Amino acid sequence: MMQIENDQIKVTTYDNIDINSIQAEAAGAYLRAQIVMDEAIADSRKPEGEQGYFEYVYYGNDATWLYAESFDGLFKELLVFDTQINECDSFTTISESQSQIMRGPEGIFGRAIISGSGAYISGAVDLPKPSQISGINNHPYTNYIYTGFSGSNESDLGLQYVEEINGYLHYALISCNNNSQNHNQDHNFVFVSPYDQIWNGNCFLPSTENTVRTIYFTTYANYSNTGRISTKLEGYARYDSIYGGTPGAYWKISIRELQHTISSVTSFKLVNSIAKFNYNPHPSGSKSWCRFYDIKIDGVTPNANKIITSVDYASVSINPSSGSLNTVIIEVSGS
């Protein structure tokens, strides 16, 4: 336990991190998490009285910080993992033994690209029913439903379906161009064994044939002019804590942040993709569906004429309302 101001916080370290050497950083991470949590809850779609928890991850230069707190305040914990600076300036990643790149250079996809600059994109996405998704077993194919921005950097920020747990993980991938080495570098912050039970244990619930699950998202290229890339997802998850528990439907607010200044944004995107680990032919027989709606750039509904579609074994249906973007349905099929 660590006392930070007037709060007693459980702090758990991994990767041989000495807790005595990070007390000042832990206090800063906790106080930052409190600010982010207050802002997120004030702006949340959480139904009144709903049980669940807030989860915040910050990827720092020397450590990755995960803070979790239940909505009733009875559970508070800060977890610390080792990280390292890699060759892509100012970007951080977890070590090779803890991470894996989940996307290969090939796959099938449907994209709706919204041209123009901005600080963030927000909206909601309905997840596919079981009859609308198939052939996604993560070996080698998996389904990604996400938003993001393009410009000085490329980002894929959203959801990754995992069949083994029948749910969606918070997925964050940042690509940057290292001009000095003419090299593209991808950073995917998805943890694998032995950390997956912590990071990947409590997924967002998928839709059923009778219940459509909706995830609300906000993707920032520059969060409140802080120079942070931020991705927020909220919706119903299977458990009420990061460690699991009794299955049910609990509201979860999940935020991932990375300190990095984006010098330019030229467009935002909405994507449904079935991607793979290698160069096999396209995933025949696989399919996915999703519906994006209530889409806004910097709080304003964009004009439908700013939309460009890009497809590969997919269809993108745009339903404008009075010239403004209303809904975008993206259906991917390897058939």
Side-chain angles (χ1 to χ4, degrees):
M1 300 297 293
M2 180 181 296
Q3 182 162 336
I4 303 175
E5 294 193 340
N6 295 321
D7 296 326
Q8 287 288 328
I9 306 300
K10 181 181 179 182
V11 180
T12 304
T13 63
Y14 295 84
D15 307 312
N16 299 316
I17 295 176
D18 179 11
I19 193 170
N20 294 317
S21 67
I22 61 162
Q23 292 194 33
E25 292 87 348
Y30 170 71
L31 294 174
R32 168 65 186 165
Q34 291 297 301
I35 294 171
V36 174
M37 181 178 67
D38 289 345
E39 293 173 347
I41 291 178
D43 192 39
S44 174
R45 304 288 191 101
K46 181 179 78 70
E48 186 175 354
E50 197 70 66
Q51 293 182 328
Y53 76 105
F54 166 82
E55 177 184 284
Y56 171 68
V57 178
Y58 174 65
Y59 304 104
N61 290 345
D62 301 313
T64 294
W65 306 85
L66 185 160
Y67 178 73
E69 180 174 333
S70 58
F71 292 144
D72 59 16
L74 297 179
F75 173 85
K76 297 181 179 182
E77 184 169 0
L78 181 65
L79 295 86
V80 191
F81 301 83
D82 186 30
T83 53
Q84 61 184 6
I85 293 290
N86 59 39
E87 63 191 35
C88 202
D89 183 40
S90 297
F91 275 84
T92 59
T93 183
I94 50 185
S95 64
E96 279 297 314
S97 63
Q98 300 171 30
S99 66
Q100 62 182 1
I101 298 299
M102 298 293 291
R103 294 187 349 127
E106 292 198 359
I108 59 178
F109 60 85
R111 295 191 190 103
I113 302 168
I114 307 170
S115 60
S117 61
Y120 69 95
I121 182 172
S122 61
V125 59
D126 288 341
L127 301 177
K129 298 178 180 180
S131 59
Q132 295 171 317
I133 183 171
S134 64
I136 312 299
N137 59 11
N138 305 305
H139 306 289
Y141 310 120
T142 194
N143 184 214
Y144 299 88
I145 297 172
Y146 58 91
T147 66
F149 52 84
S150 301
S152 58
N153 297 92
E154 189 78 20
S155 70
D156 297 350
L157 305 170
L159 296 157
Q160 170 190 333
Y161 179 72
V162 178
E163 186 185 53
E164 287 85 348
I165 59 176
N166 186 29
Y168 291 84
L169 302 179
H170 195 161
Y171 166 70
L173 183 143
I174 308 294
S175 299
C176 59
N177 184 43
N178 188 327
N179 292 323
S180 63
Q181 299 185 31
N182 192 25
H183 175 71
N184 284 324
Q185 182 80 20
D186 285 345
H187 309 288
N188 183 4
F189 304 108
V190 176
F191 280 70
V192 295
S193 181
Y195 302 93
D196 55 332
Q197 290 184 355
I198 298 171
W199 288 83
N200 305 340
N202 189 17
C203 59
F204 287 103
L205 289 171
S207 295
T208 68
E209 291 299 334
N210 297 321
T211 303
V212 174
R213 295 295 184 186
T214 299
I215 301 297
Y216 300 95
F217 62 85
T218 308
T219 296
Y220 291 91
N222 183 6
Y223 179 75
S224 296
N225 294 315
T226 60
R228 290 175 185 255
I229 300 169
S230 178
T231 164
K232 179 177 77 170
L233 301 178
E234 58 178 309
Y236 283 104
R238 183 161 291 132
Y239 306 110
D240 62 351
S241 82
I242 59 174
Y243 294 113
T246 303
Y250 305 93
W251 199 260
K252 176 181 177 179
I253 300 174
S254 177
I255 293 178
R256 305 280 191 266
E257 284 193 343
L258 172 70
Q259 186 72 48
H260 184 76
T261 300
I262 301 298
S263 60
S264 66
V265 172
T266 56
S267 63
F268 289 90
K269 60 189 174 184
L270 309 168
V271 183
N272 189 358
S273 172
I274 299 173
K276 52 184 182 268
F277 290 102
N278 51 37
Y279 292 92
N280 288 339
H282 76 269
S284 178
S286 62
K287 65 179 182 180
S288 179
W289 175 100
C290 68
R291 182 177 78 101
F292 291 95
Y293 64 96
D294 195 22
I295 303 155
K296 292 180 171 60
I297 305 295
D298 292 352
V300 178
T301 303
N303 195 294
N305 63 16
K306 291 189 174 183
I307 303 296
I308 302 171
T309 61
S310 175
V311 299
D312 182 9
Y313 289 90
S315 64
V316 178
S317 302
I318 300 172
N319 179 18
S321 176
S322 301
S324 296
L325 183 61
N326 187 6
T327 63
V328 176
I329 295 174
I330 304 178
E331 188 170 2
V332 185
S333 176
S335 300

